[in-house]
Amino acid sequence: MRIKVISPDIITYGAMVIGGVLREKGYDVSISRFIEDTDTDILLFSLYSTQHLFDDRIKKAIKSQKERGGRCYIGGPVSSHPAMVLGELSPDAVVVGEGEVTTPRLVRDGPSPGIQGVAYRGEDGMLNCGPSPPAPMERPLPLIPSDIGAQNVRGANVYIETHRGCIGGCGFCQVPRYFGQEIRSRSIESILTEVQAFKDAGAHRISISGGTGSLYASEQGRMNVPAFVELLAGIAGIMGRKNLSSPDIRVDCITDEVLDAIRDYTIGWVFFGIESGSETILKKMRKGATVDQVREAVTRCRDHGLKVAGSFIVGYPGETQHDYQKTKDLIEELSLDDVFVSAAEPIPGTPLADLVLSTPSDENPVYVPHTGEYKALGLSVAEARAFDLMLHADLNKPVFSMADDRTFDLYLAEVRKQGSDIRRATECILRYSE
Ligand code: SF4
């Protein structure tokens, strides 16, 4: 049986893992980032963004596949709201949650009530057989595309997974909902074998995937620092320290040893999800960290010779101008080496999505028109704050950079796209909550 795995535009690590699991079962599996019309028995879309639900290229490929008499299944992070996936894209079934156990069963037997983790349309409406069972952390090698070395995701060819789950419960984040709050870690041996396979396949830059890298091998909330150090040393031993980055760490998950290891075995950057300078908004976001913890973490990183990047979310429902000003003040105070800004996007199944559902649109910053400094640009409050914060962050970097016309246009296009994507996702969530 021929199976084609498509992970649109970027071949995610998760798609490669599912490809590897199916290959081990003996199927003829190929993987692609291109949404093409393919003659295959099973088309398996691995979708990682809510925006994929509205992608006409994907809709067309599914329609053609079904017209040819082939089957089409969808898995990946979008599966947390299967009714939405079935309603928008009409696949034969959705793999809900972790796909390693469920996908091979679905491929072998087709959708049936006996397969845990599958949702599909039955005669009486949608049948949802609950979430997939948690996947075992030991698994076959991923199906690595031959052009992995040409893929660029924020500077890395691939973000590999060392563990699943996060002890945090941030209201905008899907990780604890998708993988749980217990940490499940892979063995160092299997991670290193995999890293070697990526290198052999042409990958030259690897990153440890999102979540909190330093939670690797932690148990019952207690970090296992020696294991994290061994992990970084092992990966750097294969890839070289200049070819490894370890992004996304919680400000409350660092120790001196963790920071030394990041300095000694990676490119020397730490990425913190700071999100806001307002304690009120951090609480609303369920961030579980305070502004003072952020300040202390940034200082400690610098004391260890590390560069620090921070990500911020603006336009969270309930964010006032005063809250936003506190975020601007914090960026000025911290003078971060790099800053990522986004408007709050409700991902289906998260507390933020629930909050957005209960917020009238005339109070939701992504809909409220901005009437201040950028009024002539026709932005919403969320877009205007994102735009303003991007410019503000540039002004406050350690190396001064003034936005030129090109940067201005780039940021403007970026926030406009974010705003329209978020409104489309919000309207879809509203539609399926009725
Ligand atoms: S700490 Fe990071 S991965 Fe964990 S819940 Fe918060 S945003 Fe998600």
Side-chain angles (χ1 to χ4, degrees):
M1 186 187 292
R2 296 163 306 154
I3 302 173
K4 177 106 181 191
V5 180
I6 298 182
S7 177
D9 306 320
I10 293 165
I11 302 185
T12 61
Y13 175 82
M16 295 184 221
V17 167
I18 295 300
V21 167
L22 293 170
R23 177 179 57 188
E24 200 214 22
K25 299 278 180 199
Y27 297 110
D28 174 7
V29 194
S30 59
I31 193 162
S32 175
R33 66 178 66 78
F34 303 108
I35 307 167
E36 58 220 0
D37 215 8
T38 316
D39 183 19
T40 183
D41 300 311
I42 293 183
L43 185 56
L44 191 59
F45 271 107
S46 176
L47 303 183
Y48 51 85
S49 162
T50 311
Q51 297 308 313
H52 288 146
L53 300 181
F54 321 117
D55 191 322
D56 287 336
R57 301 170 301 165
I58 297 175
K59 287 183 183 172
K60 191 165 161 264
I62 292 173
K63 191 164 173 274
S64 305
Q65 172 70 2
K66 288 169 77 173
E67 281 170 359
R68 268 195 303 268
R71 287 186 275 160
C72 179
Y73 303 133
I74 291 177
V78 297
S79 69
S80 55
H81 200 313
M84 209 180 267
V85 182
L86 288 168
E88 294 299 310
L89 294 177
S90 302
D92 293 297
V94 178
V95 175
V96 185
E98 299 181 37
E100 287 86 345
V101 175
T102 303
T103 310
R105 291 180 186 163
L106 179 62
V107 162
R108 189 190 60 201
D109 301 336
S112 81
I115 304 179
Q116 192 189 340
V118 165
Y120 62 100
R121 279 210 187 94
E123 283 176 9
D124 302 320
M126 183 177 85
L127 247 91
N128 186 346
C129 311
S132 296
M137 293 311 286
E138 298 308 318
R139 58 196 178 215
L141 282 172
L143 180 62
I144 304 171
S146 57
D147 61 352
I148 187 69
Q151 177 159 283
N152 186 342
V153 189
R154 286 197 290 151
N157 302 127
V158 63
Y159 282 63
I160 62 158
E161 178 186 77
T162 59
H163 61 276
R164 286 187 177 172
C166 179
I167 56 168
C170 304
F172 52 84
C173 177
Q174 198 179 21
V175 170
R177 281 97 213 167
Y178 199 81
F179 291 127
Q181 288 185 290
E182 286 284 317
I183 304 296
R184 290 172 285 142
S185 300
R186 304 174 58 202
S187 71
I188 286 200
E189 297 72 33
S190 73
I191 295 170
L192 297 186
T193 303
E194 183 178 280
V195 168
Q196 186 65 54
F198 273 107
K199 187 178 183 199
D200 294 345
H204 45 84
R205 183 86 174 267
I206 277 181
S207 188
I208 292 178
S209 77
T212 282
S214 59
L215 287 174
Y216 174 67
S218 64
E219 276 179 27
Q220 289 163 354
R222 272 198 308 280
M223 287 164 63
N224 185 340
V225 175
F228 178 68
V229 175
E230 188 186 345
L231 175 74
L232 291 193
I235 301 176
I238 295 168
M239 298 301 299
R241 61 178 282 266
K242 287 199 166 20
N243 301 314
L244 171 63
S245 57
S246 169
D248 300 346
I249 289 194
R250 280 181 65 93
V251 293
D252 55 356
C253 290
I254 56 172
T255 67
D256 289 335
E257 295 81 4
V258 163
L259 297 179
D260 282 343
I262 294 173
R263 181 194 60 213
D264 294 342
Y265 299 120
T266 76
I267 57 170
W269 280 77
V270 172
F271 295 76
F272 288 131
I274 297 173
E275 328 304 3
S276 175
S278 157
E279 298 289 3
T280 312
I281 293 299
L282 288 178
K283 282 203 185 86
K284 220 176 213 312
M285 289 176 170
R286 310 181 189 193
K287 188 67 202 173
T290 64
V291 177
D292 275 343
Q293 283 177 299
V294 169
R295 289 190 177 101
E296 193 201 324
V298 172
T299 303
R300 282 180 77 182
C301 287
R302 290 194 163 137
D303 289 347
H304 284 260
L306 294 163
K307 291 204 184 261
V308 189
S311 56
F312 292 83
I313 296 174
V314 293
Y316 215 78
E319 183 189 65
T320 63
Q321 183 59 30
H322 179 66
D323 294 316
Y324 173 63
Q325 186 59 46
K326 289 190 159 191
T327 300
K328 283 185 83 169
D329 293 346
L330 184 65
I331 285 189
E332 195 170 331
E333 177 190 333
L334 298 177
S335 184
L336 297 164
D337 297 286
D338 208 355
V339 169
F340 301 91
V341 179
S342 55
E345 176 177 357
I347 298 175
T350 60
L352 172 57
D354 294 339
L355 183 61
V356 165
L357 282 177
S358 63
T359 304
S361 63
D362 60 1
E363 291 174 25
N364 184 337
V366 83
Y367 286 99
V368 177
H370 165 73
T371 54
E373 190 183 349
Y374 307 109
K375 188 172 178 213
L377 299 174
L379 303 173
S380 68
V381 166
E383 290 161 355
R385 286 181 186 162
F387 180 61
D388 185 58
L389 203 61
M390 288 174 185
L391 296 172
H392 181 69
D394 279 354
L395 281 175
N396 287 285
K397 281 180 186 161
V399 180
F400 176 76
S401 74
M402 182 75 133
D404 56 15
D405 285 354
R406 203 175 143 268
T407 314
F408 189 92
D409 291 345
L410 209 72
Y411 289 172
L412 192 55
E414 167 63 24
V415 299
R416 283 194 166 127
K417 181 170 184 326
Q418 283 192 21
S420 81
D421 284 355
I422 293 169
R423 282 186 289 276
R424 198 151 58 161
T426 303
E427 279 140 34
C428 189
I429 291 169
L430 281 166
R431 224 172 24 252
Y432 285 91
S433 71
E434 286 159 3

